[in-house]
Amino acid sequence: MSIATIDPSTGRVLKTFDEMTDQQVEDVLARAADGFDRLRTTTFADRARWMSTAADLLEVDRDDVARMMTTEMGKTYASAKAEVTKCAMASRYYAAHAERFLADEPADAAAIGAVQAYSRYHPMGPVLAVMPWNFPLWQVLRFAAPALMAGNVGLLKHASNVPQTALYLDELFRRAGFPAGAFQALMIESSAVERVLADPRVRAATLTGSEGAGRSVAAIAGQHIKKTVLELGGSDPFVVMPSADVQRAAEVATVARCQNNGQSCIAAKRFIVHDEVFDAFADALVARMSALRMGDPMAEETDIGPLATERGRAEVEEQVQDAARQGARVLCGGQRPDRDGWWYPPTVVTDLTPAMRMYAEEVFGPVAGLYRVSSYDEAIEVANGTDYGLGSNAWTRDPAEQERFATDLDAGMVFINGMTTSYPELPFGGVGNSGYGRELSAQGIREFCNLKAVWVGEGGATGPGAGAHSE
Ligand code: NAP
């Protein structure tokens, strides 16, 4: 029963799925290898046509897919619809730009004794994507759209609590016209990932998920000398300086913390506020967090639904209780409601110390940690004081300070006077324990390509092979 749709707003098991047998997994891998042989010989124009059709299908299917996601993991229906729309947009983005991103890159041929020299991008083959439940369509799509446009094929091991979304994706690309085997879902548990990744037909892996899962998949890939991209957790700082528009910062902070019911890797999690504006910001944040309406995720008026899993809710609750036990003040929330399902209210906690779990750990729920600082340097010290480095946010109207934050924040992404968001136009990823590699942008499509150096001589005696040094 571990692969199952369980409604987080009631805790009721709605549908269970059997894990694939060894033979079924073998069939998927064989189809992936065949699919790669077919897909690699297609043109960018073919793939762009199919990818655009996938975007059209997503738009047609939007409401049904959104309802399915809401049922499987509890995000609000409104945000689920927006997620589907974003997937369609990113599919069109890669359909339009893949060929340009992967065009041959000329080198200075004369400088290296060649008549022609360039780098060329080739697809690598089947790529295993181990994906999380929090943005069950978007996390997969932002891997799949560039991967398929490059000519790779995708194998999806989705989180066990979003099997229906996995099966929808399994069909989507085939319906759009991609060859059989170009994209398939593997209905397996995480313990079966090792066997798939070890298979010689699988050339690389990408994982979006927790630090522990990242370490495990990277270790297996390392054993088999396969490339990985890791998009892991984060505890993003949100710094508010005296020149900021404090009311606007508090408004955006509330969304940045509570989007997706507080379960986003790039949610702002630590609010680091300058002494001069601390009280004003804290009051505004508490007022806004307390005003959020928690309830049926399908209802239009709902701001925040349940957490996706019972385990996730228990973890958040324990992190807050640990802080409170050690002297932190809970300014709002902090008590789970007495009802079925995995609910946890918007919560603000302050007076946090390094001894508390919340100080260093990611809190994957609608809980804001509030920190008081008295200078720019102290703000940077607290902001950079975790092992993570995914997104970061700073609020200041001082142009010199904006420049300094862009340099000094140790993260993969810096958003000034805004909240961290993913755009196809910008690279997405982190440093430190938040992972490595990048998704989206031109960089994202190049991650799973073999960048081949090509040197062409005149056919005479000079050039590589005839020179004194080669390596
Ligand atoms: P998770 O438990 O790590 O699960 C993610 C995926 O990894 C699931 O498919 C899971 O399968 C699989 N998995 C878990 N342990 C594994 C292992 N030892 N070997 C192979 N696969 C394994 O994470 P989650 O709870 O679903 O998602 C929350 C985490 O993801 C948070 O830390 C969040 O910050 C991070 N995240 C990061 C990004 C980003 O872009 N950086 C985006 C979204 C989420 P099962 O479901 O079968 O266990």
Side-chain angles (χ1 to χ4, degrees):
M1 202 193 73
S2 66
I3 303 179
T5 296
I6 304 173
D7 182 349
S9 62
T10 61
R12 275 186 31 234
V13 178
L14 300 181
K15 205 166 178 185
T16 60
F17 295 79
D18 290 332
E19 192 176 5
M20 283 178 163
T21 61
D22 288 354
Q23 184 57 50
Q24 285 170 318
V25 172
E26 169 53 32
D27 292 346
V28 168
L29 291 171
R31 270 197 300 276
D34 290 348
F36 180 54
D37 286 342
R38 277 192 292 275
L39 195 62
R40 70 192 310 182
T41 61
T42 58
T43 64
F44 280 106
D46 290 333
R47 302 197 290 267
R49 199 172 62 252
W50 299 327
M51 192 55 72
S52 301
T53 304
D56 296 344
L57 290 171
L58 283 164
E59 281 170 347
V60 171
D61 299 344
R62 187 193 69 162
D63 293 1
D64 290 342
V65 181
R67 199 171 299 109
M68 181 173 72
M69 290 196 287
T70 297
T71 306
E72 291 207 297
M73 53 67 66
K75 68 171 60 212
T76 63
Y77 184 48
S79 65
K81 284 189 284 189
E83 183 173 335
V84 183
T85 301
K86 185 170 179 172
C87 288
M89 182 262 294
S91 302
R92 292 203 177 94
Y93 178 81
Y94 279 106
H97 299 292
E99 187 165 11
R100 178 169 61 83
F101 291 154
L102 299 182
D104 289 350
E105 292 175 1
D108 183 351
I112 52 174
V115 290
Q116 208 187 354
Y118 55 89
S119 306
R120 173 165 290 175
Y121 292 95
H122 289 282
M124 294 174 84
V127 182
L128 173 65
V130 182
M131 289 288 152
W133 45 262
N134 62 340
F135 292 91
L137 203 69
W138 170 243
Q139 305 288 5
V140 179
L141 203 288
R142 78 181 183 189
F143 152 73
L148 296 185
M149 282 306 303
N152 291 303
V153 311
L155 289 165
L156 169 65
K157 183 272 179 268
H158 217 328
S160 304
N161 58 331
V162 287
Q164 297 191 51
T165 312
L167 292 173
Y168 171 78
L169 283 156
D170 181 88
E171 286 178 5
L172 174 71
F173 295 104
R174 212 175 19 252
R175 284 165 68 207
F178 279 93
F183 188 90
Q184 300 174 85
L186 282 160
M187 302 299 276
I188 55 172
E189 292 181 14
S190 58
S191 54
V193 163
E194 177 158 15
R195 186 191 140 205
V196 173
L197 187 46
D199 190 286
R201 289 165 290 193
V202 176
R203 301 307 313 147
T206 182
L207 178 135
T208 301
S210 60
E211 229 181 296
R215 284 182 202 283
S216 170
V217 166
I220 298 164
Q223 283 296 317
H224 298 277
I225 319 207
K226 293 180 183 178
K227 178 167 181 176
T228 48
V229 166
L230 298 183
E231 297 286 1
L232 308 179
S235 190
D236 290 6
F238 187 106
V239 181
V240 185
M241 295 300 283
S243 68
D245 177 340
V246 172
Q247 292 305 319
R248 174 79 185 134
E251 184 186 345
V252 175
T254 306
V255 178
R257 178 56 281 205
C258 293
Q259 57 167 325
N260 214 38
N261 306 343
Q263 304 159 119
S264 167
C265 54
I266 49 166
K269 292 170 185 137
R270 296 176 299 131
F271 298 84
I272 300 158
V273 186
H274 195 282
D275 209 23
E276 286 177 31
V277 289
F278 184 90
D279 291 342
F281 180 83
D283 288 349
L285 182 67
V286 169
R288 286 184 176 280
M289 293 281 280
S290 307
L292 292 177
R293 288 158 302 196
M294 187 168 77
D296 176 5
M298 283 303 295
E300 222 168 88
E301 65 278 7
T302 295
D303 298 310
I304 189 156
L307 298 190
T309 66
E310 190 170 20
R311 186 169 56 92
R313 198 263 301 265
E315 181 84 351
V316 169
E317 192 172 38
E318 172 50 32
Q319 286 168 313
V320 173
Q321 286 173 355
D322 165 74
R325 267 196 306 272
Q326 298 190 66
R329 277 185 301 141
V330 179
L331 302 181
C332 67
Q335 294 291 332
R336 66 151 91 164
D338 184 18
R339 60 193 277 192
D340 288 344
W342 302 314
W343 304 87
Y344 199 82
T347 297
V348 180
V349 183
T350 194
D351 297 343
L352 293 154
T353 66
M356 300 169 185
R357 289 182 56 191
M358 268 187 72
Y359 196 92
E361 294 177 10
E362 176 181 37
V363 183
F364 220 54
V367 178
L370 199 48
Y371 300 78
R372 185 191 290 265
V373 293
S374 53
S375 67
Y376 174 88
D377 288 343
E378 193 185 352
I380 289 292
E381 194 185 322
V382 176
N384 291 345
T386 74
D387 294 333
Y388 292 113
L390 192 55
S392 59
N393 312 265
W395 285 72
T396 168
R397 285 188 278 209
D398 174 346
E401 224 169 49
Q402 293 173 357
E403 268 297 314
R404 291 181 72 194
F405 274 118
T407 302
D408 294 342
L409 283 168
D410 191 14
M413 297 165 277
V414 177
F415 280 65
I416 309 282
N417 297 331
M419 60 181 250
T420 308
T421 310
S422 57
Y423 297 104
E425 292 81 359
L426 281 174
F428 184 98
V431 296
N433 289 359
S434 293
Y436 50 74
R438 292 293 179 266
E439 295 192 289
L440 301 174
S441 76
Q443 189 58 33
I445 195 170
R446 292 171 183 156
E447 287 284 3
F448 294 116
C449 288
N450 166 21
L451 181 56
K452 184 188 283 176
V454 181
W455 185 100
V456 183
E458 272 177 15
T462 52
H469 174 83
S470 67
E471 181 167 282

